[in-house]
Amino acid sequence: MSQVVTVTEPLPGVAQIVMADREHKNTFTDALLAGLGEAFTRVAADERYKAVVLTGYGTYFCSGGTRDALLGIQEGTFTFQPEGVPSAYSLALDCPIPVISAMQGHAIGGGLSMGLFADFVIFSRESVYTANFMKFGFTPGFGSTRIFPAKLGLALAQEFLLTGRTFRGTELAERGVPFPVRPRDEVLPAALELAGNLAEKPRRSLVVLKDHLVRELREQLPAVIEQELAMHAQTLHQPEVRDLVLNRYGT
């Protein structure tokens, strides 16, 4: 298994996937992407698992694309969906059993999109959440244009995506986000409690019901990704985008 992504079984039937690339603050490095792909493949193939908890470490859930990746996309040498690389944003959606995103830490850009593709989401009051694509001057990717409206409602999704602004978990709670918002140290315990509840059900029943509930989203996603890549072709290669990535990344 990866050194930056681990799988444990904290409760019978529950897989806990932990992202802990401390050196890169859980950005989408090759190591993190490969580790996530391996972890979800392993969990999906193991019949004893009935639920998954996906979480990060400390104050970080997932920080999205690396600076080099964003510059590569801007220069046209890379895309957010390169051939042969796991589609991190849809790993939770494609997983046959229910996935809970225990977002105890900051979730940024594609990292937030990935978390929202889970079946259940738990936010942290202290953490920051942002779809910061437009902060750098280019249109969103990672399926964000579909999953944000689906999970957060159109009004809040538009504010996330069009402004690129940052929200604290406390503000999301005040805005009526349709997910629990807990103190950071309560996020993972709440996720494990929920996972334990799910693990009491027959695996086959969970798989069949999840497949029914997410079928439409799974069917729509490939066309959405094509549309997002088409928008990237129009917006990413502007000189202003490179300047914004160079000057604003990490701020």
Side-chain angles (χ1 to χ4, degrees):
M1 284 299 297
S2 164
Q3 294 183 352
V4 297
V5 179
T6 57
V7 180
T8 60
E9 188 175 359
L11 297 170
V14 174
Q16 180 174 307
I17 299 176
V18 178
M19 300 174 286
D21 188 345
R22 296 173 184 272
E23 180 181 357
H24 302 100
K25 297 180 179 179
N26 277 357
T27 51
F28 284 138
T29 60
D30 290 345
L32 188 74
L33 290 172
L36 282 169
E38 292 170 7
F40 273 96
T41 297
R42 172 181 167 185
V43 168
D46 194 326
E47 291 286 327
R48 77 175 184 273
Y49 289 131
K50 300 179 180 181
V52 180
V53 174
L54 175 66
T55 194
Y57 74 93
T59 59
Y60 289 94
F61 176 72
C62 185
S63 300
T66 66
R67 182 175 180 269
D68 287 346
L70 293 182
L71 289 172
I73 293 171
Q74 192 277 329
E75 294 166 355
T77 60
F78 187 73
T79 75
F80 77 82
Q81 182 50 71
E83 187 176 351
V85 175
S87 301
Y89 55 85
S90 64
L91 286 171
L93 178 67
D94 294 336
C95 186
I97 56 177
V99 178
I100 304 161
S101 284
M103 290 200 272
Q104 87 308 327
H106 311 316
I108 300 169
L112 177 55
S113 301
M114 179 179 69
L116 289 177
F117 272 105
D119 304 285
F120 302 90
V121 176
I122 304 177
F123 291 109
S124 159
R125 295 180 63 83
E126 301 92 335
S127 298
V128 297
Y129 303 96
T130 179
N132 59 348
F133 307 95
M134 288 291 281
K135 175 182 176 180
F136 303 118
F138 62 89
T139 49
F142 290 93
S144 304
T145 59
R146 180 65 182 86
I147 200 60
F148 275 74
K151 292 299 182 74
L152 302 176
L154 182 59
L156 186 56
Q158 286 180 320
E159 190 168 350
F160 260 107
L161 297 176
L162 285 167
T163 69
R165 60 163 291 205
T166 296
F167 293 81
R168 285 275 177 187
T170 50
E171 183 178 0
L172 292 179
E174 292 168 358
R175 294 286 295 271
V177 68
F179 299 106
V181 182
R182 300 289 191 94
R184 177 174 290 132
D185 61 0
E186 296 180 10
V187 171
L188 183 56
L192 290 172
E193 181 179 2
L194 174 56
N197 177 291
L198 292 167
E200 295 173 358
K201 281 71 175 174
R203 175 184 163 95
R204 183 60 185 163
S205 298
L206 291 167
V207 170
V208 169
L209 182 54
K210 172 171 177 172
D211 182 66
H212 172 75
L213 292 173
V214 303
R215 182 178 294 118
E216 183 178 357
L217 183 55
R218 285 173 173 166
E219 291 173 349
Q220 292 174 350
L221 192 57
V224 170
I225 298 302
E226 286 187 14
Q227 292 164 0
E228 289 182 349
L229 290 172
M231 288 191 290
H232 278 181
Q234 299 180 62
T235 64
L236 263 165
H237 309 305
Q238 303 172 87
E240 302 98 305
V241 171
R242 180 177 177 81
D243 293 339
L244 286 170
V245 171
L246 288 171
N247 294 325
R248 291 188 175 182
Y249 189 90
T251 62

